[in-house]
């Protein structure tokens, strides 16, 4: 899930929303008053992010004008977002908790935590403590907007197509805003590592190299208007915008990145930045919603790696694979012809078909473990070719709230060999069901939480759930034969992340050293491992959220099972998903409360 949230937009709608009279809150607050405040904070946030409005499928009716706009990427825009966050916290601080229901006390705690964490970045003078660089291999308007226009901007009518063109006109402005901000930030050393800038340049040049008529931002509009039978000269109009404004802006950005490539400080981790230790501490706290030190997280990772390696050894020996280290045996399994799809378009299609079959199979098993089963559709798509060099290996986009756009599970198929067959079920259970798709869909349809929480999230909660889902899939019979090794390898991979992320950012590991460790530990192919490590270098701390979150989920379930004994019902345990994402400390407290209530029944 890889989107900057709530960047400011200085349009008239934002001014109007922020100028609304403040709700007077004092003693005797009711749930209705707090719900109204949550709703106003939600709308204020949306007013500052047209891209979020479209991503949620809300760009119609009173929000229709937002469909022709994009986010403001200037420092003024960021400042507006910070001001909105501070105002929201000030308003929430006046709420009398005593007048609230238990559900709304939980909502209040989670929203305050979420808003407070947003202020870490301005305090340390970075765009984001977890993503401190403006331009890098997975960040910047050049990377996000073509994908946003294709996958988030829906086209059903000529009005939608005109709004697309209006946004297309603004792409050049966004590129220039990124260029200006990156230039300013470079004076403070906020420049991505050299290899990241090389990847960034490669992707920019790939986007720039196609004739304007063949640019994906043009072909997306032409393809979708044609499919809907919407008449208009869309090809020529979009082509002209790309050729006359976007490509010159890209040229200016490429020139800057080439200049910065020769100037960027050495090193790969957060330690290379001014206040790097403080930035990493804040990033780790945000990502894990814990106060564990980097050294503690590193040691947890080493212990988990040792335990999972031993478990994999047993599984691999049972499959007749006993020679070499676990990493070497997994590498050999990765290369076995019976585990590989062809490196061709046909092979990629077959791979995606197998993922869809996995989703269908697990969907049939879900009633054994869940009382609530939402029905939002899920599509599985290949990561766009023009960004695959720097993109993550797999990720998830939630469905539009109004059902106008399905959820999307993306898989990077640059190298088909990165995805041996035995490893794919665990990936599907993580990104699809019962992982991200089920968890986020339940939260979206829940009547127990305000919209403000439905669009937010905590990486440790959601990624921890997704990893727990891989374990739950094993309990439901989701793995056959050697696929169990893929499940354990997935866990080993996330444990190795704890070691690598803390190694990169506090122990001054190099990208090469971290990649060597990943390959030797997990048996993943080197290209895939290197892409992963490159992500950890520029998306600081996030890689630690998976295993730390998984530990919290499993610890909470084990505690509930022990307390409830024969009264434990896994379906009821999973109903906590209806309460939405929350920090791990609040999650474990909430599960304790639910357990205590169940004991009284």
């Amino acid at each position: 899930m890889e989107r900057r949230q709530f960047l400011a937009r200085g349009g008239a709608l934002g001014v109007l929303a922020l100028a609304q009279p403040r709700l007077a809150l004092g003693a005797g607050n009711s749930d209705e008053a707090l719900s109204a405040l949550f709703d106003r904070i939600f709308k204020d946030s949306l007013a500052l992010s047209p891209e979020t409005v479209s991503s949620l499928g809300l760009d119609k009716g009173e929000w229709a004008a937002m469909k022709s706009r994009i986010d403001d990427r200037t420092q003024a825009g960021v400042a507006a977002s910070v001001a909105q966050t501070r105002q929201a916290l000030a308003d929430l601080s006046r709420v009398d908790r005593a007048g609230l229901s238990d559900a709304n006390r939980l909502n209040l705690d989670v929203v305050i935590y979420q808003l407070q964490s947003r202020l870490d970045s301005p305090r340390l003078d970075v765009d984001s403590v977890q993503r401190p660089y403006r331009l890098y291999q997975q960040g910047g308007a050049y990377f996000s907007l073509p994908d946003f226009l294709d996958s988030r901007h829906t086209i059903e009518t000529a009005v939608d197509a005109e709004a697309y063109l209006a946004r297309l006109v603004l792409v050049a402005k966004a590129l220039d805003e990124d260029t200006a901000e990156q230039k300013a930030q470079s004076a403070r050393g906020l420049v991505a590592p050299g290899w990241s800038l090389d990847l960034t340049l490669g992707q920019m040049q790939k986007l720039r190299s196609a004739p304007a008529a063949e640019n994906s931002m043009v072909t997306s509009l032409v393809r979708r208007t044609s499919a809907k039978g919407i008449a208009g000269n869309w090809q020529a109009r979009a082509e002209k915008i790309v050729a006359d404004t976007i490509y010159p802006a890209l040229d200016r950005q490429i020139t800057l990145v080439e200049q910065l490539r020769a100037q960027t400080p050495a090193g790969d981790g957060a330690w290379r930045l001014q206040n790097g230790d403080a930035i990493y501490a804040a990033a780790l706290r945000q990502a894990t919603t814990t106060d564990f030190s980097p050294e503690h997280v590193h040691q947890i990772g080493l212990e988990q790696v040792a335990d999972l390696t031993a478990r994999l050894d047993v599984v691999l020996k049972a499959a007749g694979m006993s020679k070499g280290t676990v990493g070497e045996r997994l590498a050999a399994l990765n290369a076995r012809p019976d585990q590989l799809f062809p490196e061709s378009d046909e092979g990629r299609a077959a791979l995606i078909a197998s993922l869809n079959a996995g989703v269908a199979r697990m969907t049939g098993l879900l009633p054994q473990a869940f009382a609530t089963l939402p029905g939002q559709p899920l599509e599985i798509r290949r990561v766009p070719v023009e960004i695959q060099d720097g993109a993550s290996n797999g990720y998830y986009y939630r469905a539009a709230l109004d059902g106008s756009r399905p959820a999307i599970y993306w898989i990077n198929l640059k190298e088909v060999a990165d995805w041996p067959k035995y490893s794919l079920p665990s990936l599907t259970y993580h990104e699809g069901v019962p992982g991200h798709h089920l968890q986020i869909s339940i939260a979206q349809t829940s009547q127990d939480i305000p919209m403000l929480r439905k669009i937010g999230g905590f990486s440790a909660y959601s990624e921890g759930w997704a990893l727990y889902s891989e374990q739950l899939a094993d309990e439901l019979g989701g793995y056959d034969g050697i696929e169990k090794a893929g499940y354990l390898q997935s866990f080993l991979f996330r444990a190795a992340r704890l070691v690598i992320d803390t190694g990169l950012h506090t122990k001054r590991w190099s990208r090469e050293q971290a990649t060597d460790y990943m390959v030797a530990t997990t048996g993943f192919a080197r290209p895939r491992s290197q892409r992963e490590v490159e992500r950890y270098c520029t998306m600081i701390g996030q890689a630690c959220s998976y295993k730390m979150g998984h530990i919290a989920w499993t610890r909470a379930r084990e505690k509930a099972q022990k307390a409830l004994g024969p009264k434990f019902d896994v379906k009821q345990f999973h109903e906590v998903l209806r309460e939405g994402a929350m920090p791990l400390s609040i999650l474990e407290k909430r599960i304790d409360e639910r357990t205590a209530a169940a004991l009284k029944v």
Side-chain angles (χ1 to χ4, degrees):
M1 298 187 322
E2 309 198 335
R3 181 166 298 283
R4 180 193 303 244
Q5 293 185 355
F6 304 133
L7 277 175
R9 169 73 184 173
L13 185 56
V15 173
L16 287 172
L18 292 173
Q20 290 175 352
R22 296 294 166 188
L23 182 66
L25 293 174
N29 290 307
S30 66
D31 284 344
E32 287 185 4
L34 181 59
S35 294
L37 177 54
F38 282 151
D39 186 56
R40 202 208 68 229
I41 294 171
F42 169 65
K43 289 182 178 179
D44 285 354
S45 298
L46 288 185
L48 298 178
S49 182
E51 291 169 36
T52 299
V53 173
S54 289
S55 295
L56 296 173
L58 300 177
D59 52 3
K60 49 186 69 69
E62 64 175 312
W63 296 98
M66 301 293 263
K67 194 159 187 174
S68 298
R69 306 173 186 174
I70 61 175
D71 292 351
D72 182 350
R73 287 163 167 79
T74 65
Q75 280 303 309
V78 174
S81 183
V82 171
Q84 187 270 329
T85 298
R86 288 176 173 151
Q87 180 64 64
L89 283 167
D91 289 344
L92 291 169
S93 71
R94 295 156 47 206
V95 172
D96 176 17
R97 294 175 57 85
L100 301 176
S101 64
D102 289 343
N104 258 336
R105 279 195 288 271
L106 172 64
N107 288 329
L108 181 62
D109 288 342
V110 174
V111 170
I112 288 175
Y113 186 106
Q114 191 171 33
L115 293 173
Q116 286 176 335
S117 70
R118 292 185 194 173
L119 298 181
D120 288 337
S121 300
R123 177 173 55 83
L124 291 166
D125 198 21
V126 291
D127 283 351
S128 165
V129 291
Q130 292 189 59
R131 302 184 183 193
Y133 308 117
R134 177 56 68 103
L135 295 173
Y136 61 105
Q137 80 277 11
Q138 288 186 315
Y142 86 92
F143 184 91
S144 64
L145 285 181
D147 172 47
F148 168 79
L149 288 169
D150 183 55
S151 63
R152 304 299 186 95
H153 183 107
T154 56
I155 296 178
E156 297 293 334
T157 67
V159 172
D160 296 333
E162 291 290 350
Y164 184 104
L165 287 174
R167 277 179 158 161
L168 198 59
V169 169
L170 295 173
V171 170
K173 180 175 180 288
L175 291 168
D176 283 335
E177 287 173 350
D178 275 351
T179 299
E181 291 301 326
Q182 179 60 84
K183 185 176 182 179
Q185 291 177 12
S186 66
R188 295 184 283 119
L190 285 172
V191 185
W195 52 263
S196 173
L197 296 182
D198 289 337
L199 287 170
T200 302
L201 282 167
Q203 293 180 153
M204 288 176 177
Q205 289 161 349
K206 187 176 291 185
L207 182 64
R208 174 66 178 84
S209 64
E214 299 173 14
N215 185 280
S216 63
M217 290 178 282
V218 176
T219 59
S220 174
L221 176 62
V222 173
R223 181 186 73 251
R224 291 189 288 154
T225 51
S226 175
K228 295 293 181 178
I230 303 171
N233 193 14
W234 310 114
Q235 170 82 41
R237 294 172 66 190
E239 184 179 337
K240 180 174 175 58
I241 294 168
V242 170
D244 292 353
T245 66
I246 294 176
Y247 278 176
L250 262 176
D251 290 338
R252 291 188 288 271
Q253 193 161 93
I254 288 169
T255 297
L256 174 69
V257 175
E258 288 173 339
Q259 293 170 354
L260 295 177
R261 177 62 180 89
Q263 305 168 13
T264 188
D268 300 317
W271 57 267
R272 67 197 287 274
L273 304 175
Q274 184 179 0
N275 296 324
D277 289 346
I279 290 171
Y280 185 62
L284 193 63
R285 184 171 59 251
Q286 274 190 11
T288 66
T289 62
T290 72
D291 291 320
F292 290 158
S293 70
E295 185 59 35
H296 190 184
V297 173
H298 191 81
Q299 291 303 315
I300 290 173
L302 291 172
E303 292 167 6
Q304 291 271 319
V305 165
D307 175 66
L308 290 160
T309 299
R311 292 171 64 185
L312 266 162
D313 181 53
V314 173
V315 171
L316 292 171
K317 283 179 177 176
M321 303 182 71
S322 58
K323 295 181 180 179
T325 67
V326 165
E328 289 168 345
R329 279 177 272 168
L330 288 170
L333 182 58
N334 291 343
R336 269 181 20 188
D338 68 307
Q339 291 297 323
L340 299 178
F341 288 95
E343 189 71 44
S344 63
D345 289 343
E346 292 77 15
R348 289 177 173 85
L351 190 155
I352 290 177
S354 77
L355 299 181
N356 280 303
V359 168
R361 178 187 178 195
M362 180 51 62
T363 298
L365 298 174
L366 292 179
Q368 298 178 33
F370 294 91
T372 300
L373 292 171
Q376 289 95 321
L378 174 68
E379 287 187 7
I380 303 176
R381 298 185 190 176
R382 177 185 180 180
V383 170
V385 173
E386 58 266 27
I387 64 170
Q388 67 183 8
D389 291 354
S392 301
N393 287 315
Y395 50 95
Y396 174 86
Y397 282 175
R398 73 182 72 207
L401 292 174
D402 66 350
S404 61
R405 179 182 46 73
I408 305 171
Y409 149 24
W410 297 92
I411 183 167
N412 192 329
L413 297 182
K414 179 183 179 182
E415 302 284 348
V416 177
D418 285 348
W419 300 109
K421 295 176 183 178
Y422 78 96
S423 71
L424 291 173
S426 63
L427 178 72
T428 290
Y429 305 147
H430 183 107
E431 302 290 349
V433 292
H436 288 317
H437 183 57
L438 179 70
Q439 174 248 312
I440 292 173
S441 296
I442 287 176
Q444 280 188 331
T445 56
S446 174
Q447 301 302 309
D448 302 328
I449 57 177
M451 191 66 70
L452 184 61
R453 286 190 56 207
K454 290 183 180 183
I455 65 169
F458 297 91
S459 185
Y461 176 100
S462 59
E463 298 297 355
W465 168 265
L467 206 54
Y468 165 79
S469 294
E470 297 180 43
Q471 176 181 323
L472 179 63
D474 185 41
E475 297 171 13
L476 294 174
Y479 303 105
D480 294 327
I482 199 63
E483 291 174 353
K484 182 72 171 284
Y487 149 57
L488 292 175
Q489 183 190 41
S490 172
F491 273 38
L492 178 61
F493 165 44
R494 272 48 179 241
R497 281 176 161 178
L498 300 180
V499 180
I500 291 170
D501 197 83
T502 51
L504 284 164
H505 298 297
T506 65
K507 298 180 181 296
R508 301 199 172 199
W509 284 20
S510 67
R511 175 183 63 147
E512 291 72 23
Q513 181 182 358
T515 301
D516 288 343
Y517 181 86
M518 176 72 80
V519 171
T521 303
T522 67
F524 285 160
R526 190 170 191 87
R528 176 182 177 183
S529 296
Q530 183 164 299
R531 281 198 301 275
E532 285 289 337
V533 168
E534 289 165 349
R535 169 186 165 192
Y536 313 154
C537 292
T538 54
M539 294 175 59
I540 296 173
Q542 195 268 347
C544 296
S545 61
Y546 299 73
K547 204 67 180 71
M548 298 305 294
H550 172 253
I551 290 168
W553 274 105
T554 54
R555 180 172 58 225
R557 175 173 158 175
E558 288 165 2
K559 186 177 180 181
Q561 285 179 292
K562 183 177 180 180
L564 290 167
K567 295 181 71 174
F568 177 79
D569 181 347
V570 72
K571 292 184 180 181
Q572 289 306 308
F573 176 78
H574 292 153
E575 285 290 274
V576 73
L577 292 177
R578 294 176 58 184
E579 298 183 3
M582 60 190 81
L584 296 181
S585 56
I586 297 178
L587 171 67
E588 295 193 69
K589 177 185 175 184
R590 186 68 194 110
I591 290 175
D592 285 346
E593 292 169 349
R594 292 173 65 90
T595 299
L599 283 170
K600 294 178 182 179
V601 176

